Amino acid sequence: MLGFLGLIENYEKDKEKKKKNSELIVAMALVGAIFGATIGSYINDALGRKMAIVVANFCFAVGSLIMAITLNPCVIIIGHFLVGLGVGAASVTALVYIAEVSPSEIRGGLVGFNALMIIGGQFLSFVINYGLTKNKKEAAANIEILEFHLEKEQKNKVKVNYSYVFKLKDIRVAFICGAGLQAFQQFIGISIVLYYCPIIIQLAGFKSNNAALFFSLIVSGLNAGGTILGIYLIDASGRKMLTLGSLLGVAIALTILSVACFIIGHVNASQVYAWLAIVGLALYIIFFAPGMGLVPWAVNSEI
């Protein structure tokens, strides 16, 4: 991680203003997601799942429209923040709804399909971006199950407030488990890898935009394929084994990627190390997607 983070800083030091704008745009989506998740949880409780989904979709639509019609970085930041609000609200609502209406034996898989749809959108965006670099810029659940779970929910419904996180051990442990998994998902660098994937590839030695976007397309495809694999593994092998295996693989992959990037930036810019960095990047996604890319969302929907 430290290796290619250092390369990113060196690569863009002569474009400081552009760098600040791009990083602020990325950060505002994450900030928006924090507020969106908070607001979305209140809307879920007060107005129901349907209204929360409507609010999330409205934020998506408005934010996307703003980003599509402007080149002004300040306005794009506003659009990214609105999209982030939608991401946060949708993340809370979709997972809760899936957990409520699905039987336990297939719940992990259904949560996985939700993640697959998100990753599929990312993959499609890389396909479109790659297509636009080819010198053509100008052209560029059934009712019975639902009723059963609703009836069960009503019978088991109790009044819960946020202070129980500090008062009751079971809720506190569940909170630590859920929040801890989400924190680990970010600490292992997935946001950096996904947002800066084309730049990492260029820093590894593949300078052209076509090459960077082509390899990014492959990485995104691996992400989708790994998620499909995770849909099967999460219920077959269990959450714990899948998480531990994913973290071990991610640690090995990040070591390979970081060492390769460090050598390229400070010792030897040989093509061998460029390909080694690509291998590390691919392995990172292969190990991340079926485990840490999927398990935190499944576990949070269940607890």
Side-chain angles (χ1 to χ4, degrees), residues 7 23 46 54 95 129 143 162 167 191 208 220 224 238 241 285:
L7 282 177
E23 291 180 351
V54 170
L95 296 176
N129 285 338
I143 300 299
Y162 291 106
K167 295 179 181 178
S191 293
S208 74
S220 183
M241 290 300 298
I285 293 296

Side-chain angles (χ1 to χ4, degrees), residues 213-232:
L213 287 173
F214 176 73
F215 282 116
S216 297
L217 181 62
I218 294 177
V219 169
S220 183
L222 290 173
N223 200 5
T227 302
I228 295 173
L229 176 64
I231 291 172
Y232 168 76

Side-chain angles (χ1 to χ4, degrees), residues 207-289:
K207 300 296 185 182
S208 74
N209 290 333
N210 272 352
L213 287 173
F214 176 73
F215 282 116
S216 297
L217 181 62
I218 294 177
V219 169
S220 183
L222 290 173
N223 200 5
T227 302
I228 295 173
L229 176 64
I231 291 172
Y232 168 76
L233 293 177
I234 193 169
D235 291 316
S237 64
R239 280 62 164 157
K240 182 177 180 181
M241 290 300 298
L242 189 57
T243 300
L244 294 177
S246 176
L247 284 173
L248 177 61
V250 162
I252 294 173
L254 282 178
T255 300
I256 295 173
L257 178 59
S258 297
V259 170
C261 287
F262 181 83
I263 292 175
I264 292 170
H266 299 87
V267 181
N268 187 345
S270 169
Q271 194 73 8
V272 174
Y273 296 108
W275 282 107
L276 184 62
I278 296 297
V279 170
L281 183 61
L283 286 175
Y284 173 87
I285 293 296
I286 289 172
F287 282 108
F288 174 87

Side-chain angles (χ1 to χ4, degrees), residues 181 234 238-240 242-243 289-300:
L181 281 171
I234 193 169
R239 280 62 164 157
K240 182 177 180 181
L242 189 57
T243 300
M292 285 304 295
L294 187 58
V295 172
W297 302 108
V299 170
N300 273 274

Side-chain angles (χ1 to χ4, degrees), residues 1-16 19 23 192 196-207 256-270 273-274 276-278:
M1 289 292 294
L2 293 176
F4 65 79
L5 283 176
L7 282 177
I8 290 173
E9 183 177 358
N10 291 334
Y11 176 77
E12 296 185 327
K13 65 182 180 181
D14 60 333
K15 302 178 181 179
E16 193 64 30
K19 173 186 173 184
E23 291 180 351
I192 294 173
Y196 292 102
C197 184
I199 293 177
I200 294 171
I201 292 169
Q202 287 182 321
L203 294 175
F206 301 92
K207 300 296 185 182
I256 295 173
L257 178 59
S258 297
V259 170
C261 287
F262 181 83
I263 292 175
I264 292 170
H266 299 87
V267 181
N268 187 345
S270 169
Y273 296 108
L276 184 62
I278 296 297

